[in-house]
Amino acid sequence: MFGKLKALSVLGVGVYLASATYAAAQQADLNSPDLVLINAKILTMDASSSVAEATAIRDGKILAVGTSASIKALIGTQTRVFDVGGKTVVPGLIDTHAHFKAAGMAEYVVNMSRAKTVAEALDAIRTFAGKKKPGEWIIGGAWHPPSQLAEKRYLTRQEIDSVAPSNPVYLRTVGHFSMANSMALQSAGVDKSTANPGGGSFERDAAGELTGVLVETAIDRVEKAVPPWSDEDEIQQFKLAESVLNGFGITSAVEGATEARDIRTLQKIALAKEATLRVGLMFRPEPPAEMAAWEAIMSGNGASSGFGDDWLKFAGIKIFYDGGMTLKTALMRDVYPDSHDDYHGIAQQTPERLKQLISICNRYNWRVGVHVVGDLGIDQVLDAFEAADKEKSIRDRRFILIHASLIRPEQMERAHKLGVRIDFQNVFMWDKAATVERFLGRAVADRALPTKTLIDKMGLDNLGAGTDFPVNPINPLLNMYIMVTRKDPNGNVYGASEAISREQALRLYTSAAARYTFEEAKKGTLEPGKLADLVVLSADYMTVPEDQIKDIKASITVVGGKVVFQR
């Protein structure tokens, strides 16, 4: 009997020890990383520009950064391990200005980006029309005919009619101009007797007939006639778009002009835990005629800038002011070189109305970002910001000059005093520098996007880089290449003195970019406690020959500790 008890006792001790070991192992696994990257060159982009070999991730955040040996010691039985073989790892890239839904539209719209001549553009429409039933709308993806087509012009409605006679056709461009065929104009109730709206026009030929080209505010008339996508289509378009951006190493983006429906769609995706891109929303309500109506929109349900979470939040209110350099609508101090009258560009509203709009936004704690390109336009937007600041300080609110492509040094100083940030897009000059030169002269093309001067005058942390996709390519490494080299595709250099270093360019996409949405304590660098958003690059960004920067690709993209893209 005693022998049996002794055996049972020994057995019990064994069971206890096994259980204790299992519990300890379980506890160790609970504390172990979900994912580690080892044998890497990690550019943390912290304040010291530290470089590490490995990182550990748990619960969507950076657990540790250090040597491969120190990180290996943390690995548990459930840890996923990536040995990246010495590749460079950088924080997740942040595009501070994009209209990224366009990246998910390939199956829904005509791709006009490859057309190099009027004939090729019309052929693209003809091919797409062949897949449509009579009466179904045909929508075009963003493109830029004046710089893209050999003929340097927009398509006419008669040309579009010739290849799609049975369908309404509406062709968006990179902004400020659109084209429509006869059926589309008819659907919108526009004919040759229709008056031009304030701040825009329905272009006409010498005989007074509509050409089908819509300028600025005239676009809205036809845009509203285009039938909306279904909810299912919208969700799919945004999900596809997020995955496309992930493929370029982009983990966060500021949506540059968001409509209410887009916000609802993005919220559905985030609530379903299907988001792979963190989004800051620049809400763009159409300013109504009456300021009381604008105030009702701003007071809304009490929300204001910053409302949201790590996946989706309001970044501010977007207001348009002038046009663009290649559209000859940027509001300039100097008269346009080829102008036959006193033409300085186009403002979409008066300076007094702009002040009222911004004042009301400020009153309800909405941060404002204004689309402005020309130097005269920047003068007037800064006037409006200064007026708002006198009513209620904006100095810690990071109001934004969006684009500010032709900003001058004294304007940078004015902006800096107000705590205003500038978010620009060097990649605009990739395929449009020659057009800027043609319309505004070489001196203006050289001073466009004065990146080094902006850093010198305002400090890098008050700036951010984006693409304005689909106006320009979404590729962040192409954008960084242009910041570093100032070259166009033909190797022509514009404004060589405004080139910046590789690290500065990368910071404009990471540590500085995170400040757009006041999230510098959460993302933009690879440090313990921050969101685990990172990219493994195909080549060493810091050491490859300069001309190869643009060819670097994302090999692995991680958002919130999850691999969302792997090449």
Side-chain angles (χ1 to χ4, degrees):
M1 181 73 176
F2 180 77
K4 285 184 179 179
L5 286 172
K6 185 175 181 183
L8 287 170
S9 176
V10 171
L11 180 63
V13 170
V15 170
Y16 170 78
L17 289 173
S19 299
T21 303
Y22 176 73
Q26 266 196 324
Q27 187 60 41
D29 264 348
L30 284 173
N31 295 324
S32 295
D34 303 313
L35 176 69
V36 301
L37 279 71
I38 58 173
N39 296 329
K41 179 183 177 181
I42 299 177
L43 307 180
T44 67
M45 305 311 291
D46 65 8
S48 303
S49 301
S50 304
V51 179
E53 292 179 338
T55 185
I57 294 165
R58 187 174 67 211
D59 297 331
K61 294 185 178 180
I62 302 292
L63 176 65
V65 179
T67 64
S68 288
S70 67
I71 298 300
K72 282 179 181 178
L74 303 175
I75 294 172
T77 59
Q78 303 299 311
T79 303
R80 188 178 183 186
V81 180
F82 279 97
D83 184 330
V84 300
K87 285 185 176 178
T88 297
V89 177
V90 300
L93 302 176
I94 303 168
D95 189 318
T96 60
H97 187 81
H99 309 280
F100 71 88
K101 180 184 175 184
M105 300 295 288
E107 298 174 12
Y108 297 86
V109 300
V110 189
N111 183 353
M112 305 298 288
S113 65
R114 299 188 183 95
K116 300 301 180 187
T117 64
V118 168
E120 288 180 7
L122 294 173
D123 190 55
I125 299 166
R126 180 188 293 108
T127 301
F128 198 82
K131 305 171 188 174
K132 292 283 186 177
K133 298 174 184 176
E136 285 187 318
W137 278 77
I138 294 171
I139 309 299
W143 61 315
H144 191 254
S147 65
Q148 189 173 319
L149 301 182
E151 294 84 355
K152 307 296 181 190
R153 65 171 177 84
Y154 296 95
L155 307 183
T156 68
R157 69 179 172 89
Q158 293 89 347
E159 288 172 327
I160 304 170
D161 288 346
S162 72
V163 293
S166 303
N167 300 85
V169 180
Y170 175 62
L171 304 176
R172 299 182 177 98
T173 68
V174 297
H176 312 283
F177 284 75
S178 289
M179 288 150 282
N181 74 344
S182 299
M183 283 189 72
L185 292 172
Q186 185 179 1
S187 297
V190 175
D191 59 31
K192 62 191 251 182
S193 66
T194 304
N196 288 332
S201 64
F202 301 103
E203 284 201 349
R204 293 168 167 83
D205 61 22
E209 295 292 335
L210 294 170
T211 66
V213 177
L214 314 169
V215 184
E216 297 291 2
T217 55
I219 293 170
D220 294 339
R221 179 75 173 264
V222 180
E223 186 87 42
K224 288 172 182 174
V226 178
W229 304 110
S230 70
D231 289 348
E232 293 74 18
D233 284 339
E234 289 261 323
I235 289 170
Q236 184 66 8
Q237 288 160 5
F238 269 114
K239 287 172 68 174
L240 285 170
E242 292 190 3
S243 67
V244 170
L245 267 64
N246 296 154
F248 285 98
I250 300 170
T251 59
S252 296
V254 174
E255 221 303 329
T258 323
E259 298 177 355
R261 188 183 187 192
D262 293 336
I263 297 170
R264 287 192 291 271
T265 302
L266 287 163
Q267 186 179 26
K268 287 176 185 175
I269 294 168
L271 288 173
K273 300 192 183 303
E274 294 175 346
T276 61
L277 184 78
R278 304 184 193 279
V279 181
L281 302 164
M282 290 301 289
F283 180 35
R284 188 213 166 189
E286 191 64 38
E290 299 298 325
M291 284 297 153
W294 181 252
E295 185 161 1
I297 295 170
M298 291 305 108
S299 60
N301 60 6
S304 60
S305 298
F307 182 81
D309 59 20
D310 293 339
W311 287 103
L312 189 66
K313 68 170 55 181
F314 281 116
I317 297 295
K318 167 75 171 286
I319 297 174
F320 278 90
Y321 193 55
D322 70 349
M325 294 182 289
T326 60
L327 307 171
K328 298 169 71 173
T329 51
L331 198 56
M332 305 290 293
R333 290 176 179 176
D334 298 327
V335 173
Y336 274 78
D338 62 349
S339 174
H340 298 298
D341 52 17
D342 191 28
Y343 178 70
H344 292 263
I346 294 175
Q348 297 196 25
Q349 53 220 321
T350 65
E352 292 71 27
R353 178 173 164 80
L354 179 69
K355 286 180 182 178
Q356 289 178 298
L357 293 170
I358 292 173
S359 172
I360 291 169
C361 292
N362 188 36
R363 189 181 312 158
Y364 290 97
N365 296 318
W366 282 103
R367 193 236 313 235
V368 178
V370 180
H371 166 115
V372 62
V373 174
D375 47 13
L376 178 57
I378 293 168
D379 283 335
Q380 294 172 357
V381 174
L382 288 172
D383 288 345
F385 282 170
E386 286 170 350
D389 182 63
K390 289 176 182 176
E391 297 171 351
K392 177 180 176 179
S393 177
I394 69 169
R395 289 167 196 264
D396 60 347
R397 311 262 300 288
R398 304 179 191 174
F399 277 43
I400 315 143
L401 295 178
I402 298 170
H403 309 308
S405 307
L406 295 171
I407 192 169
R408 294 181 180 271
E410 73 274 11
Q411 295 173 322
M412 300 174 196
E413 292 169 2
R414 284 180 72 190
H416 190 44
K417 286 178 183 177
L418 285 168
V420 168
R421 61 179 287 121
I422 315 293
D423 285 87
F424 46 81
Q425 302 82 37
N426 287 71
V427 71
F428 182 88
M429 299 296 280
W430 175 244
D431 57 356
K432 302 177 186 70
T435 305
V436 174
E437 181 180 0
R438 189 168 82 248
F439 287 168
L440 294 166
R442 179 68 192 219
V444 174
D446 279 336
R447 75 173 182 85
L449 285 305
T451 317
K452 185 178 185 301
T453 305
L454 279 162
I455 292 172
D456 292 344
K457 292 283 185 182
M458 297 188 63
L460 194 142
D461 280 348
N462 299 306
L463 309 170
T467 57
D468 201 13
F469 175 82
V471 175
N472 309 301
I474 193 69
N475 185 354
L477 274 302
L478 174 63
N479 201 2
M480 287 184 234
Y481 164 79
I482 296 164
M483 289 188 244
V484 170
T485 68
R486 304 286 296 194
K487 289 181 179 178
D488 75 357
N490 298 317
N492 299 317
V493 176
Y494 287 85
S497 63
E498 292 296 343
I500 62 173
S501 73
R502 298 186 195 205
E503 181 175 341
Q504 288 172 326
L506 183 56
R507 286 195 177 277
L508 289 170
Y509 259 99
T510 55
S511 59
R515 296 176 62 85
Y516 192 116
T517 47
F518 293 83
E519 292 178 289
E520 60 268 27
K522 288 187 172 185
K523 64 185 182 184
T525 65
L526 297 177
E527 298 177 87
K530 289 197 171 182
L531 295 170
D533 300 351
L534 56 85
V535 191
V536 181
L537 299 177
S538 63
D540 188 345
Y541 168 76
M542 297 301 292
T543 63
V544 296
E546 208 171 63
D547 280 348
Q548 293 178 22
I549 293 173
K550 64 183 182 302
D551 303 317
I552 296 174
K553 293 178 170 56
S555 296
I556 301 170
T557 305
V558 175
V559 183
K562 294 181 179 179
V563 177
V564 297
F565 173 80
Q566 189 169 0
R567 193 173 297 281

